[in-house]
């Protein structure tokens, strides 16, 4: 029998009684900034091809981890709820009702 443990709290997840959540994160570097470097008098199609080639080179280099990353985590029910409250790790926001307005 396969045993899973939560990647966040390290608690063992009992497949019979606990819900296990699989979180998949895909991170891809946007290459938008490269389009900004395009020289005006170049043929657009040519530029596009160059751009595709250069972004390939860029991603195949040692910087590939910065271009594309894929992660997978197993979470227990509790950690899933905590994760969903703040999936991108934002600074803790003020509690509801804090505002005096
Ligand atoms: Zn957990």
């Amino acid at each position: 029998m396969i045993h899973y443990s939560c990647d966040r709290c390290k608690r063992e997840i009992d497949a019979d009684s606990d819900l296990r959540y699989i979180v998949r994160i895909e991170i891809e570097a946007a290459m938008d900034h490269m389009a900004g470097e395009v020289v005006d008098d170049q043929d657009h199609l040519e530029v596009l091809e160059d751009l595709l080639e250069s972004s390939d080179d860029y991603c195949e280099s040692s910087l590939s981890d910065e271009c594309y990353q894929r992660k997978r985590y197993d979470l227990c029910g509790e950690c899933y709820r905590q994760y969903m409250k703040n999936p991108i790790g934002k600074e803790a926001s003020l509690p509801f009702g804090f505002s005096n307005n």
Side-chain angles (χ1 to χ4, degrees), residues 9-10 15 22 26 28 30 35-36 41 45-46 49 53-54 62 64 68-70 77 79 81 87 91:
C9 69
K10 307 298 175 197
I22 300 167
E26 196 176 15
E28 203 180 323
D41 55 2
L45 194 65
E46 213 173 276
E49 281 169 5
E53 277 170 25
S54 61
S62 57
S64 62
Y68 187 81
Q69 287 203 49
R70 219 164 162 175
C79 289
R81 280 187 286 276
E91 296 285 317

Side-chain angles (χ1 to χ4, degrees), residues 14-93:
D14 182 346
D16 293 330
S17 58
D18 296 328
L19 263 177
R20 180 171 59 96
Y21 294 86
I22 300 167
V23 179
R24 290 193 183 89
I25 301 174
E26 196 176 15
I27 306 162
E28 203 180 323
M31 295 296 172
D32 297 352
H33 65 284
M34 288 190 168
E37 291 166 12
V38 165
V39 181
D40 283 344
D41 55 2
Q42 270 184 287
D43 178 62
H44 280 288
L45 194 65
E46 213 173 276
V47 168
L48 191 66
E49 281 169 5
D50 285 352
L51 190 67
L52 290 172
E53 277 170 25
S54 61
S55 50
D56 277 355
D57 289 347
Y58 186 65
C59 280
E60 279 166 15
S61 73
S62 57
L63 291 168
S64 62
D65 279 359
E66 290 175 28
C67 290
Y68 187 81
Q69 287 203 49
R70 219 164 162 175
K71 307 268 186 201
R72 182 187 176 283
Y73 301 101
D74 291 315
L75 295 183
C76 68
E78 178 55 28
C79 289
Y80 162 75
R81 280 187 286 276
Q82 293 300 320
Y83 172 77
M84 284 309 289
K85 283 181 190 170
N86 193 4
I88 57 169
K90 270 197 301 196
E91 296 285 317
S93 55

